[in-house]
């Protein structure tokens, strides 16, 4: 598989983007010790991030970079100093952080694992159905519940490229990517229930990743720890775990999500 990128360049692009999201330097994620910086708005951050974030923890496995608002600095500093980095993102330890944040009207809200392609594994996997390339002009009728992981109706302008698997004229699997930032496009994928476990998701994900690389962008993939189906798809498609994030939001925001 030929591409203009190397694995090292892909990781460097992700580190640079995380640095723009957090307001730190890329090398801060590779330090032995934790780093705390002020969360602030940035035009170069991922478009869906609502900056500043009260408490945003990021780890590439070496340490934790915490981007915080001033009101959370002491809370977060004490927390990430108390526990090893890998334990700060799991229970029971994260209850300590959540309890402290509640005094500021905050709760832990988003937790996710992010994946980058491994060029030694990434290849166009076979799909049992014909695959078509789809562009933004083709997406209008696809903003429906069954394709909600591939497309985001709230940010239609960011959805730029997709691949669809078709059984006749019926779209049965769909992977698309959003231009969440200048250098990196995020992949999401959906397959209709009756067509799952046939390798469609991995075929579309792997092929879309190659399409993105051909366009000079770095693909990335996000999944919750508990979404094993999505994690397995990432790994099967040639992606590997790269970094993790956890962030807090206002209590009212969390409550509204639970009501929804």
């Amino acid at each position: 598989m030929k591409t203009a990128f190397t694995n090292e360049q892909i990781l460097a692009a992700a580190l640079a983007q995380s640095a723009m999201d957090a307001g730190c330097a890329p090398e801060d994620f590779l330090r032995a010790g934790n780093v705390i910086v002020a969360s602030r708005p940035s035009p170069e951050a991922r478009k869906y991030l609502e900056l500043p974030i009260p408490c945003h923890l990021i780890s590439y496995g070496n340490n934790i970079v915490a981007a915080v608002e001033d009101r959370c600095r002491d809370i977060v500093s004490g927390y990430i100093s108390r526990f090893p980095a890998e334990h700060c993102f799991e229970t029971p330890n994260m209850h300590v952080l959540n309890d402290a944040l509640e005094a500021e009207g905050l709760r832990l809200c988003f937790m996710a694992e992010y994946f980058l392609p491994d060029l030694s594994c990434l290849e166009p996997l076979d799909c049992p159905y014909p695959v078509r390339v789809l562009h933004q002009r083709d997406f209008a009728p696809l903003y429906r519940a069954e394709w909600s992981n591939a497309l985001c109706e709230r940010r239609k302008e960011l959805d730029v490229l997709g691949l669809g698997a078709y059984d006749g004229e019926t779209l049965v699997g769909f992977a698309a990517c959003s231009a969440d930032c200048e250098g990196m496009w995020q992949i999401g994928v959906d397959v209709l229930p009756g067509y799952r476990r046939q390798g469609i998701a991995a075929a579309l994900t792997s092929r879309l990743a190659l399409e993105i690389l051909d366009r000079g962008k770095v693909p990335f993939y996000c999944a919750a720890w508990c979404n094993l189906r999505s994690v397995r798809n990432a790994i099967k498609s040639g992606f590997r775990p790269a970094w993790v994030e956890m962030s807090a939001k206002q209590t009212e925001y969390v409550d509204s999500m639970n009501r929804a």
Side-chain angles (χ1 to χ4, degrees), residues 122-134 147 150 161-166 171-177 187-192 195 198-212 219 221 233 236-237 239:
L122 181 66
E123 60 181 4
L125 299 178
D126 292 334
C127 186
Y129 297 94
V131 174
R132 304 177 192 172
V133 177
L134 302 175
W147 311 122
L161 183 68
L163 293 179
Y166 286 82
L171 181 64
V172 300
F174 181 40
C177 57
I187 294 176
V189 62
D190 290 290
V191 177
L192 296 182
Y195 289 85
Q198 299 182 49
I200 297 173
L204 294 176
T205 303
S206 62
R207 294 182 184 202
L208 184 56
L210 291 169
E211 293 279 353
I212 294 169
Y221 187 105
N233 177 61
K236 184 177 180 180
S237 301
F239 284 72

Side-chain angles (χ1 to χ4, degrees), residues 111-232:
M111 301 172 62
E113 184 173 14
Y114 291 82
F115 299 77
L116 293 172
D118 180 347
L119 299 182
S120 67
C121 304
L122 181 66
E123 60 181 4
L125 299 178
D126 292 334
C127 186
Y129 297 94
V131 174
R132 304 177 192 172
V133 177
L134 302 175
H135 299 91
Q136 201 169 50
R137 61 181 178 271
D138 304 310
F139 296 160
L142 301 179
Y143 286 96
R144 305 197 303 265
E146 59 263 42
W147 311 122
S148 60
N149 288 312
L151 298 175
C152 179
E153 190 166 14
R154 296 192 308 276
R155 298 185 296 272
K156 290 181 179 180
E157 70 282 0
L158 300 181
D159 295 328
V160 291
L161 183 68
L163 293 179
Y166 286 82
D167 184 359
E169 290 303 310
T170 301
L171 181 64
V172 300
F174 181 40
C177 57
S178 55
D180 292 335
C181 46
E182 176 60 31
M184 301 181 71
W185 291 359
Q186 181 173 191
I187 294 176
V189 62
D190 290 290
V191 177
L192 296 182
Y195 289 85
R196 292 171 184 166
R197 304 184 70 84
Q198 299 182 49
I200 297 173
L204 294 176
T205 303
S206 62
R207 294 182 184 202
L208 184 56
L210 291 169
E211 293 279 353
I212 294 169
L213 289 167
D214 284 345
R215 287 160 173 78
K217 306 295 182 179
V218 171
F220 70 105
Y221 187 105
C222 176
W225 282 276
C226 57
N227 191 346
L228 295 182
R229 185 168 63 193
S230 185
V231 170
R232 288 174 183 142

Side-chain angles (χ1 to χ4, degrees), residues 245-260:
E245 297 185 13
M246 181 168 67
S247 59
K249 300 285 283 186
Q250 291 293 136
T251 297
E252 294 81 2
Y253 181 93
V254 178
D255 289 343
S256 68
M257 291 190 69
N258 287 328
R259 286 195 297 269

Side-chain angles (χ1 to χ4, degrees), residues 64-106:
I64 293 176
V65 172
V68 300
E69 292 182 338
D70 285 344
R71 57 179 168 150
C72 298
R73 180 177 288 270
D74 290 343
I75 293 172
V76 173
S77 177
Y79 178 69
I80 64 177
S81 299
R82 179 176 174 183
F83 301 109
E86 63 272 19
H87 294 308
C88 286
F89 294 82
E90 65 179 12
T91 57
N93 298 344
M94 71 182 206
H95 290 301
V96 172
L97 177 59
N98 192 69
D99 290 347
L101 290 173
E102 285 191 334
E104 296 295 331
L106 301 166

